[in-house]
Amino acid sequence: MSELWKYVSPGIPDELFERLPGIPMSQREIRLLLISALRLEANSVVWDIGAGTGTIPVEIGLLCPQGQIVAIERDEEVANLIQLNCDRFGVRNVQVVTGNAPQCLKQISILPQRACIEGSKGIKPILQQVWEYLPSTGRIVVTAASLEALYEVSESFTQLHARNVEVVQAAVNRLETRGNSRRLMAVDPLFILSAEKLD
């Protein structure tokens, strides 16, 4: 259990994470949807590709202390940020891998049962490579911020014969204070796609 987050439920406030300017972060409400779509078990092995700030690995690491999480990030400075956030929350079951997917994936010794792919650049080859590593009954969750990425992921799921495909568009509004007034401010909408591999 973390001193910063003493609860068994996910949903760590965004402001508790260390951040770097310009580095994306899965915001709390989106994180909850992603984690829910992964359908984790207590000892799941999870790959998070494009892990960014490391919010997903931290949340899963706390939620599944017997699980193993591999956080993959291409930028070394960002990979260091992931490790910093894991240390900040006392998460010890996350392995941070620095490298470009899909090329770096073959270097990872532990195969995933669940995979989360965040970000839309070059998604198709990454998705196809990860699919090969998933066992039967494995699950994959992918985010898409544009209609083009949504189409690319949907097309890939069709080609891979993915089963139980679900698509959710998350549109979240948060109450914020601006001067003397309070307004609902929109978080950028995002598509969340999930599917199962059933051989």
Side-chain angles (χ1 to χ4, degrees), residues 116-173:
C116 180
I117 304 175
E118 301 179 79
S120 302
K121 289 183 181 175
I123 193 78
K124 204 165 192 175
I126 296 171
L127 179 51
Q128 290 169 340
Q129 188 71 54
V130 171
W131 192 262
E132 289 182 26
Y133 291 126
L134 280 176
S136 181
T137 73
R139 281 187 67 79
I140 193 163
V141 177
V142 185
T143 62
S146 67
L147 289 174
E148 291 79 10
L150 173 65
Y151 175 77
E152 207 172 348
V153 175
S154 299
E155 185 180 51
S156 295
F157 278 169
T158 300
Q159 292 168 351
L160 295 167
H161 305 290
R163 299 289 180 256
N164 300 322
V165 175
E166 295 179 3
V167 181
V168 173
Q169 184 193 27
V172 175
N173 295 291

Side-chain angles (χ1 to χ4, degrees), residues 5-126:
W5 187 249
K6 299 180 181 182
Y7 310 100
V8 295
S9 58
I12 299 170
D14 296 344
E15 60 270 17
L16 292 183
F17 290 96
E18 293 289 341
R19 300 187 68 181
L20 286 173
I23 301 306
M25 178 178 77
S26 298
Q27 293 175 300
R28 179 177 58 189
E29 294 84 358
I30 303 300
R31 240 179 288 137
L32 292 170
L33 291 171
L34 288 170
I35 291 169
S36 171
L38 284 167
R39 295 184 188 165
L40 299 166
E41 297 178 10
N43 60 349
S44 288
V45 177
V46 183
W47 284 6
D48 184 17
I49 301 167
T53 306
T55 58
I56 297 286
V58 166
E59 293 266 24
I60 295 174
L62 292 172
L63 195 61
C64 305
Q66 298 161 13
Q68 298 179 68
I69 304 96
V70 180
I72 300 139
E73 181 54 56
R74 66 174 178 257
D75 184 277
E76 188 173 348
E77 186 179 14
V78 181
N80 291 337
L81 176 65
I82 297 168
Q83 189 61 60
L84 176 65
N85 275 316
C86 288
D87 294 342
R88 183 173 167 78
F89 286 89
V91 174
R92 302 283 177 251
N93 54 345
V94 174
Q95 174 192 354
V96 181
V97 172
T98 306
N100 285 309
Q103 295 84 359
C104 71
L105 301 179
K106 59 177 175 260
Q107 303 167 9
I108 302 170
S109 59
I110 183 166
L111 296 179
Q113 298 161 329
R114 304 285 187 269
C116 180
I117 304 175
E118 301 179 79
S120 302
K121 289 183 181 175
I123 193 78
K124 204 165 192 175
I126 296 171

